[in-house]
Amino acid sequence: MHYYRYKNAEVSCCYKYLMFSYNIIFWLAGTAFIAIGFWAWSEKGVLSDLTQVTRLHGFDPVWGVLVVGTVTFILGFAGCVGALRENICLLKFFSGVIGFIFFLELTAAVLAFVFQGQVREWINDFFLANVRAYRDDIDLQNLIDSLQKLNYCCGAKDPNDWNLNVYFNCTTANPSRERCGVPFSCCISDPADTVVNTQCGYDVRKTGNPTQWGQTIYVKGCMMALEEWLPRNLYIVAGVFIVISLLQMVGIFLARTLIGDIEKVKFNYY
């Protein structure tokens, strides 16, 4: 009986463990995102009362964390196990999903460029919907506060957008102490202050004169702030997009190369 040793009868260890190393990071990151998401929900009592998920009228940032974590976890798992077990099905699933996500990103970028007016209107409506739900969720509240503080803005178009919120609207029927006010994140902060004054926005819109508001709060809307921020940071945004795209293309290249290696070895043995 004769045994034949075929040339290149083994899958390349280099590509195999590069693929594994590439994916173990995303697998662990996905696990961390999922853990953070469920921890955030447990802190808000959502896990003990799941109906809270359906009662929220605005955007819960935890959903974003969980969706990103779940997708990253599944892809990382498929890539790691597919590489170690030399499983063509898992590797094809990994490369196919990464390719589909890459296609969606390109499509979204092109559509956002072509339909700038509609995208601007959609973002404005999305922001206003979350202004209405500002007090409904602590994570949403923190997200809006961070956005307004970082961009020195208030509301979507101007501070009067806060009339949409039941706590801040100026109607005489509103019994809230925050009536005709704005969140503290709209206030112009003094660098000398060591303690955040959470009541600085109280009654600020009672004067009805926007020219006087500018001494206390930001009068620029966040939509205008975003439109000013984007051209200033265009290279950073483009750089982030290019880095993400390169990482995706590297993942697809490693998966397809490993699939070709495995198929070649299987062909040689049959």
Side-chain angles (χ1 to χ4, degrees):
M1 183 180 291
H2 298 280
Y3 295 93
Y4 296 94
R5 184 181 181 89
Y6 294 98
K7 186 180 180 182
N8 296 327
E10 293 182 357
V11 175
S12 170
C13 288
C14 177
Y15 287 121
K16 182 175 180 177
Y17 289 108
L18 271 176
M19 183 69 181
F20 175 79
S21 303
Y22 174 90
N23 281 281
I24 193 67
I25 298 170
F26 293 102
W27 193 4
L28 294 174
T31 305
F33 273 110
I34 292 172
I36 291 168
F38 280 111
W39 170 79
W41 266 359
S42 68
E43 287 291 302
K44 294 190 290 188
V46 174
L47 296 182
S48 57
D49 181 14
L50 292 176
T51 58
Q52 291 185 40
V53 175
T54 58
R55 290 202 301 266
L56 180 63
H57 300 294
F59 169 69
D60 186 354
V62 177
W63 273 115
V65 174
L66 286 174
V67 169
V68 171
T70 302
V71 172
T72 307
F73 177 86
I74 293 172
L75 287 175
F77 174 82
C80 284
V81 177
L84 288 180
R85 301 296 298 172
E86 299 177 7
N87 188 305
I88 291 178
C89 182
L90 285 176
L91 290 172
K92 284 184 176 179
F93 169 79
F94 171 83
S95 61
V97 174
I98 290 287
F100 179 68
I101 292 173
F102 180 68
F103 173 76
L104 287 181
E105 289 170 352
L106 285 178
T107 304
V110 171
L111 290 177
F113 180 77
V114 174
F115 301 103
Q116 294 182 34
Q118 290 89 330
V119 170
R120 190 182 295 110
E121 195 62 34
W122 179 82
I123 295 173
N124 182 72
D125 293 342
F126 179 75
F127 193 93
L128 292 177
N130 287 291
V131 163
R132 293 187 186 95
Y134 176 75
R135 292 291 191 207
D136 293 357
D137 183 82
I138 187 63
D139 291 322
L140 174 62
Q141 184 175 311
N142 290 334
L143 182 64
I144 293 175
D145 284 336
S146 299
L147 180 66
Q148 292 190 144
K149 283 192 291 186
L150 289 172
N151 293 284
Y152 311 110
C153 60
C154 188
K157 293 182 179 177
D158 56 57
N160 277 326
D161 288 334
W162 285 99
N163 276 328
L164 295 171
N165 187 278
V166 294
Y167 295 96
F168 296 102
N169 72 65
C170 285
T171 57
T172 53
N174 182 11
S176 171
R177 178 62 189 88
E178 295 176 308
R179 176 176 171 269
C180 264
V182 291
F184 75 95
S185 55
C186 286
C187 297
I188 299 173
S189 58
D190 187 346
D193 291 341
T194 55
V195 179
V196 176
N197 180 8
T198 56
Q199 299 179 359
C200 61
Y202 284 14
D203 304 323
V204 73
R205 290 187 297 118
K206 275 187 177 179
T207 60
N209 188 353
T211 57
Q212 296 179 13
W213 302 349
Q215 300 171 9
T216 311
I217 64 171
Y218 303 115
V219 293
K220 180 170 62 177
C222 290
M223 287 300 299
M224 184 182 293
L226 178 62
E227 290 173 8
E228 292 174 356
W229 178 89
L230 196 56
R232 291 199 310 266
N233 298 274
L234 189 60
Y235 290 114
I236 296 174
V237 174
V240 170
F241 182 78
I242 290 170
V243 168
I244 292 173
S245 301
L246 286 174
L247 285 173
Q248 291 171 332
M249 286 188 283
V250 167
I252 294 171
F253 169 77
L254 289 174
R256 299 308 303 181
T257 303
L258 194 54
I259 288 170
D261 239 16
I262 295 167
E263 288 177 339
K264 187 187 298 183
V265 169
K266 283 186 176 181
F267 176 78
N268 286 335
Y269 274 115
Y270 286 111

